[in-house]
Amino acid sequence: MDVVASACAQLNEAYEKAVQEAPEGGEQASSLTSDALPADIVQAIAISNAKSIGEQPAILANLALSQQIFNQNLQQQNAVSHQQALNQIKLAVVAKYIAMIDSVGFGDEAAIEKMGAEIEKLVHQLERILEGKAGKSHAEQAN
């Protein structure tokens, strides 16, 4: 980096000196810009420019890859969040089932039938909730 900075400084000094020493004629002033520079400086600038141009596709590819990784990370975090919400719903349903089973006596047939109907009702409600969440998550991913 220091080599490029010193080369640029020398280039500016050489150009200013050449312009000040040149007569007012247009041809000589324009020819001094390339003749007054040492070949090493011209070569260093050319190599630096070629190197910058050569590295540009790799830099852009790395930026695209980092953006893709970032987006994938966000999608995975979103999936984990949805899974945690569904696990909480399942836990609440299991707790309700256990409470219903605990409250019913095993000798009472009517109570067992009622418990079966309640469990079936809860399963249908859970299916509707899960279908609604699945529909929302598909719509969010499409956007």
Side-chain angles (χ1 to χ4, degrees):
M1 195 61 141
D2 293 338
V3 174
V4 174
S6 64
C8 288
Q10 289 176 358
L11 174 66
N12 287 336
E13 289 174 11
Y15 179 76
E16 288 175 11
K17 184 177 179 183
V19 169
Q20 289 174 357
E21 293 177 359
E24 292 299 321
E27 287 183 29
Q28 285 183 335
S30 64
S31 68
L32 284 176
T33 58
S34 61
D35 293 340
L37 293 176
D40 292 343
I41 293 175
V42 172
Q43 186 178 8
I45 292 171
I47 290 171
S48 174
N49 287 343
K51 186 177 177 186
S52 295
I53 291 169
E55 290 176 351
Q56 190 175 20
I59 292 170
L60 293 176
N62 286 341
L63 286 173
L65 179 63
S66 68
Q67 185 66 35
Q68 184 179 6
I69 290 170
F70 178 76
N71 288 340
Q72 188 175 8
N73 186 27
L74 285 179
Q75 288 176 346
Q76 289 174 350
Q77 288 176 356
N78 193 16
V80 168
S81 174
H82 284 287
Q83 185 65 42
Q84 287 175 341
L86 290 177
N87 287 343
Q88 288 179 349
I89 291 172
K90 289 177 184 178
L91 182 64
V93 169
V94 169
K96 180 71 173 177
Y97 288 163
I98 291 173
M100 287 173 54
I101 291 170
D102 190 39
S103 67
V104 173
F106 290 106
D108 188 10
E109 297 255 343
I112 292 173
E113 298 256 342
K114 182 179 176 187
M115 182 179 67
E118 287 292 322
I119 289 174
E120 190 174 325
K121 182 179 169 184
L122 284 173
V123 167
H124 289 300
Q125 287 178 353
L126 181 61
E127 287 175 354
R128 279 185 282 175
I129 289 171
L130 293 177
E131 287 174 4
K133 288 199 181 264
K136 287 181 186 177
S137 66
H138 288 299
E140 289 173 359
Q141 290 177 358
N143 291 335

